Amino acid sequence: MKKQLNTFKELQEELIVDLAVKHGQTVNDKVLLNAEILFPITLPVLLSDDTKEELMIQSIFFRDCNFYDEIKLEHNSDYIFFENCNFYKNIMAYNSTFNGKVRFRNCEFRGEVNFKNATFTELADFWMSKFYKKVVFYKTDFESTVVFSSATFYENVLFTYTLIDKLIIFRGTKFKKGLDLSLAIFSGKLSVFDILLKDFKTSAKYLDDSGYENLVNMSGDIPIKNKRETFRILKKYFENNNNVVESLPFKVSEKKTLLKEQFHELFRFNTEYYKEKGMRAFLTSKVRAVFNLFVLLLNIISNYFGVAYIQSALFTLAVGGLFFYLTILNSEKYVFAYNWDWNILRDNIAGYANFLIPTHKFNFLGEGFLKTYKLSNWFYVFDIAGRIAIGYGIYQTIQAFRKFR
């Protein structure tokens, strides 16, 4: 059963007991185990010893503790260590500088976590910790290594103007909602392995500068373009490390996000938008969105953005069959009918196979075909269009087969 601490005096007594009896630590190194803290505390703490001298306690190790009120972390020159702790209220560490190591190992953050404008000059470790509310690391400076291995974020986490000066580690990290790395400042390295990040909801509405800053700083919502950029960063990270297999899901997610972005762009009719951009820019954006959507939809249908080779092969056969049918309908040999004749299908298998070769001749149905049957101009139009479509399908199939290059 955990000890309940209702006042700062009780906390002080427990720290001293642990120090003197259980651990034999130095006077500036305090330990608190298996306690329930029911009042707000500020670290570092100012304690008095038996001689009534006041001591600034920089280093405190909390293990198996529950915090039911707010914790405030101020400037600290030594280490802060929480292990197997639960925080039911907010942790406030804004505008603070930590010159020692800060560790939260296997902890649960059920309240708000505020590290805005904080600076970590040494290791910041959040190993196997759980964050239940949105977290915005706004202008947080990680000057050394920061670890989120096996951490779980149940809501959005944003690294808005966050400095990664040395190394940030995501190993086995689970992002149940969204992740925003688009505004992080990477002067150091990113290390990612075996993370869980799927498609997530974003804000696709038109945003002016103040609205955008409110999202990425205050509300913790992620704009759709930030989502796309985050997937691009992760894709590029794996590609740069020659890990093409791991890059593929992020490549697909990036393109799917761009597809959604173009849909929103096409159907967005906001008076504020064309007041700011002008009518010409507004119309240009709509035309551009139409062409971008055409290309993206064609890519998702043909080979699912370069990863589905069976889909691309079936696509090639299907578009080839469609244009083959339209082409032969424009000859005197065949006319359109609602009933299906399997004999005609069987008789034209060889012609269809020839048609699937983009460099085929116009007499793909036989040597005497051009002499025997009159052809309309549409015959040549659909034949040329079919060559282009089949050539595109073959290229997409090759691309999909090379996805592990």
Side-chain angles (χ1 to χ4, degrees), residues 74-76 93-100 102 115-122 124 138-144 163:
E74 296 183 338
H75 303 292
N76 197 297
Y94 53 87
N95 298 326
S96 296
T97 299
F98 303 95
N99 293 317
V102 179
F115 287 109
K116 294 183 178 181
N117 293 298
T119 300
F120 296 83
T121 62
E122 295 294 335
Y138 180 75
K139 294 185 178 180
T140 307
D141 292 344
F142 294 106
E143 297 181 356
S144 187
L163 173 65

Side-chain angles (χ1 to χ4, degrees), residues 191-394:
S191 177
V192 181
F193 180 74
D194 197 28
I195 68 169
L196 174 65
L197 177 63
K198 298 180 179 179
D199 194 20
F200 55 90
K201 292 182 179 180
T202 57
S203 174
K205 64 182 180 181
Y206 171 70
L207 297 169
D208 57 16
D209 290 342
S210 61
Y212 179 83
E213 287 297 324
N214 181 67
L215 251 62
V216 299
N217 176 17
M218 303 301 296
S219 68
D221 294 319
I222 300 175
I224 190 169
K225 61 182 180 181
N226 291 34
K227 172 184 173 181
R228 171 171 50 84
E229 178 64 10
T230 296
F231 285 131
R232 187 200 67 80
I233 290 171
L234 294 171
K235 177 198 71 175
K236 193 66 177 175
Y237 165 80
F238 286 111
E239 289 178 347
N240 290 343
N241 287 278
N242 296 318
N243 191 345
V244 179
V245 175
E246 292 291 339
S247 73
L248 292 177
F250 298 107
K251 172 186 174 182
V252 172
S253 296
E254 178 195 5
K255 298 296 178 60
K256 287 172 67 177
T257 304
L258 179 60
L259 179 65
K260 293 177 183 178
E261 201 175 350
Q262 295 304 309
F263 266 116
H264 290 299
E265 183 67 33
L266 180 61
F267 296 107
R268 180 187 291 123
F269 296 96
N270 190 305
T271 54
E272 293 180 6
Y273 182 86
Y274 38 88
K275 277 181 183 177
E276 180 179 336
K277 303 292 184 181
M279 184 55 70
R280 182 175 180 179
F282 174 78
L283 294 175
T284 301
S285 70
K286 301 303 177 187
V287 174
R288 186 186 300 116
V290 169
F291 284 102
N292 289 342
L293 281 170
F294 173 75
V295 173
L296 290 166
L297 287 171
L298 200 56
N299 271 272
I300 199 172
I301 293 170
S302 60
N303 65 2
Y304 202 69
F305 298 124
V307 299
Y309 51 85
I310 295 177
Q311 179 178 322
S312 58
L314 294 175
F315 170 83
T316 305
L317 295 174
V319 297
L322 174 64
F323 280 102
F324 176 77
Y325 179 69
L326 294 173
T327 302
I328 64 175
L329 277 184
N330 286 277
S331 69
E332 286 186 336
K333 187 175 182 179
Y334 297 105
V335 294
F336 177 78
Y338 287 102
N339 59 311
W340 187 263
D341 191 335
W342 288 101
N343 292 322
I344 294 177
L345 178 64
R346 188 166 46 251
D347 292 343
N348 283 281
I349 290 178
Y352 171 61
N354 286 327
F355 188 82
L356 288 176
I357 303 172
T359 56
H360 65 260
K361 297 180 180 180
F362 289 117
N363 61 346
F364 54 86
L365 288 180
E367 289 296 332
F369 176 67
L370 296 179
K371 297 178 181 179
T372 307
Y373 301 101
K374 185 178 179 180
L375 309 177
S376 74
N377 290 334
W378 285 106
F379 175 92
Y380 299 100
V381 171
F382 286 118
D383 182 84
I384 297 299
R387 295 170 193 257
I388 296 172
I390 292 167
Y392 173 78
I394 293 172

